[in-house]
Amino acid sequence: MPVVRIAFATNKGGLDDTLADRFGRAPTFTIVEVDTDTGEVKKVEVIENPGYRAGSGAGVKAAQALGDHGAKVYVGPNPGPNATAALQYLGVKVIPLTGATVREALAKALEELKQQ
Amino acid sequence: MPRSVIGVTGGKGGTGKSFVATNLAVLLARRGLSLVLADLDVEAPNDHLLLGVERLENEEPIEVFFPFIDYGKCTACGACAKACDTGAIVMAKGRPPMVMPRLCSGCRACLMVCPYKAIAEDGARVMGYSYVTPVKLSGAGFTLVTGVLREGEEHTPPAIVAAKRRALRVAENADLLIVDTGAGTGNGISAALQETSLVIAVTEPTPMGLHDLAAILEITKGMGKRTWVVVNRSGLGPEDKHLELARKHGVERVFRIPFSKTAALAYARGVPLVDYDPHDPAAEALQGLAEEVYREVA
């Protein structure tokens, strides 16, 4: 898969932001369109997470948002059980990671995707 | 409908809601009222334990609506997922939706918006159980209705409402239905209190008791309910702010149940305090409260 959309759970969003510490209630998602062969970033998009202020079902609403934006990979803290089921159904691969910037996380994700 | 419905609530957990409700039920049944006690603390119902009841009887499942999707009719239009407020329906482009049972509150919004009638109208799932158990006491008895939510369920109100409806049916010709709610001030609590004409808010002389009393009194005031306050474990700490709060919220009466080690012992043994030691000061305070409730409803 050369060009893929990878979603990162973020606070303010953007390549220099650090990963958020939770999935369902992360304030934003940074979606990076990237060529997995060359590592070239084609597009960076920051979306608001509908789960951030949701009354209930935050994780599933967040998962739905990733699916709607065409993300095929998610990088960030581990989603809960409901969100994990939703991501699986939506065909979004989960790469658990915390304590990194989006740029660092992107490098790790590309490494991991190459190994498969 | 029963002749009277009163609620026992309080906001904070552990203030003694069930303690007050069970002892009131025992005393008022002995006073000659035909009585039903509904334990609507569906996440942790334990009135039966406080009454020494060993097992709950007459189990019935609590069924709530659940969207079963006819994949022959579904066009994956996504209307149901958009209408779902609890995030229970997930849509992948061009594929039929996936429904997550435990996030579904059974509200039927998806059923109403589906343009293709692809959702079965009579789909249901079991989210809990209700029980009707006779409680036998020396001198009198009453009926205990208990609602129990299944583990892992995310929405209490549908189970609370279902158990309450069963209690109302059981209590149809009764003098009094006492509704014992769980802790908190969520939708489930106001749903439990809907039919009550008098609410007893149990609090304790602690900062937490004060904080949560403020929250529950906002609810009872907002619902236009006549409200009494019971300060349980009275003597443990200052109560002046509780009293001021009660005044501000138009609470009609304030009762005190003194702190009592004997009450804790009776509680730990699953014997109503008024039976364990009827002369304990806390038991006497409960008798005083019961007498006032009796005057209200008899």
Side-chain angles (χ1 to χ4, degrees):
Chain A
M1 47 177 181
V3 175
V4 79
R5 288 169 78 82
I6 305 179
F8 300 83
T10 44
N11 298 300
K12 285 181 181 160
L15 288 176
D16 295 315
D17 196 9
T18 45
L19 294 180
D21 55 9
R22 57 226 192 271
F23 171 70
R25 303 277 181 195
T28 62
F29 289 111
T30 299
I31 298 176
V32 179
E33 202 174 291
V34 61
D35 186 317
T36 52
D37 292 335
T38 63
E40 185 197 346
V41 173
K42 305 258 182 196
K43 195 172 151 196
V44 178
E45 189 184 356
V46 177
I47 62 162
E48 281 189 19
N49 173 13
Y52 181 46
R53 288 193 176 82
S56 71
V60 174
K61 284 172 183 161
Q64 179 72 67
L66 298 194
D68 290 348
H69 283 83
K72 288 291 161 209
V73 179
Y74 157 73
V75 186
N78 259 317
N82 286 325
T84 300
L87 288 169
Q88 196 177 7
Y89 159 81
L90 292 161
V92 180
K93 179 187 164 60
V94 175
I95 299 177
L97 190 68
T98 50
T101 66
V102 173
R103 221 179 276 280
E104 291 161 357
L106 175 63
K108 281 194 181 169
L110 288 173
E111 224 170 87
E112 193 151 326
L113 289 174
K114 259 182 199 158
Q115 282 167 10
Q116 288 164 9
Chain B
M1 280 289 284
R3 272 199 12 241
S4 297
V5 184
I6 66 167
V8 179
T9 188
K12 184 182 175 296
T15 55
K17 295 178 291 298
S18 293
F19 169 72
V20 168
T22 50
N23 279 287
L24 274 184
V26 170
L27 290 166
L28 291 168
R30 277 214 186 104
R31 199 72 171 73
L33 295 182
S34 68
L35 186 147
V36 175
L37 171 63
D39 188 354
L40 300 184
D41 186 1
V42 298
E43 286 178 282
N46 47 27
D47 284 2
H48 58 290
L49 300 176
L50 300 179
L51 291 162
V53 170
E54 300 214 334
R55 58 180 293 184
L56 298 174
E57 296 170 29
N58 301 301
E59 178 179 289
E60 270 182 21
I62 293 174
E63 291 187 352
V64 289
F65 171 78
F66 182 77
F68 285 98
I69 293 161
D70 181 339
Y71 292 116
K73 291 182 184 165
C74 176
T75 66
C77 72
C80 56
K82 276 201 192 78
C84 180
D85 183 50
T86 62
I89 304 182
V90 193
M91 286 292 302
K93 274 192 190 94
R95 279 166 61 199
M98 179 179 76
V99 190
M100 322 220 33
R102 290 199 159 158
L103 286 178
C104 175
S105 69
C107 76
R108 293 175 192 261
C110 52
L111 175 70
M112 291 177 205
V113 300
C114 176
Y116 304 99
K117 297 199 186 324
I119 297 177
E121 279 181 30
D122 54 356
R125 72 187 179 97
V126 174
M127 75 180 318
Y129 300 90
S130 68
Y131 301 83
V132 174
T133 313
V135 179
K136 291 172 196 84
L137 305 159
S138 61
F142 61 90
T143 307
L144 174 67
V145 177
T146 310
V148 182
L149 192 71
R150 282 178 70 183
E151 250 173 64
E153 290 292 342
E154 305 235 359
H155 299 280
T156 55
I160 290 171
V161 169
K164 186 187 69 179
R165 286 204 182 121
R166 192 168 181 201
L168 284 165
R169 278 200 303 277
V170 170
E172 204 180 344
N173 300 308
D175 295 321
L176 175 63
L177 170 63
I178 299 177
V179 171
D180 180 21
T181 81
T185 49
N187 291 347
I189 304 301
S190 39
L193 295 175
Q194 205 75 49
E195 287 80 6
T196 57
S197 56
L198 174 67
V199 175
I200 296 175
V202 183
T203 184
E204 59 177 26
T206 64
M208 297 79 79
L210 178 68
H211 177 270
D212 295 357
L213 179 65
I216 196 71
L217 291 182
E218 282 298 314
I219 302 287
T220 57
K221 193 178 170 187
M223 292 178 78
K225 298 289 182 192
R226 293 180 54 210
T227 307
W228 294 357
V229 162
V230 170
V231 182
N232 191 24
R233 301 191 193 100
S234 181
L236 275 188
E239 294 169 14
D240 46 326
K241 285 187 179 148
H242 297 66
L243 299 183
E244 195 185 316
L245 197 63
R247 242 194 328 272
K248 273 193 193 148
H249 285 79
V251 167
E252 288 180 13
R253 311 190 56 171
V254 177
F255 296 83
R256 286 186 181 78
I257 301 176
F259 175 69
S260 149
K261 212 171 163 182
T262 311
L265 282 173
Y267 196 83
R269 283 167 200 185
V271 180
L273 174 67
V274 294
D275 280 353
Y276 187 82
D277 183 358
H279 302 297
D280 181 77
E284 284 176 354
L286 285 162
Q287 285 150 12
L289 174 64
E291 207 47 43
E292 294 307 314
V293 174
Y294 182 81
R295 264 191 228 167
E296 280 289 323
V297 304

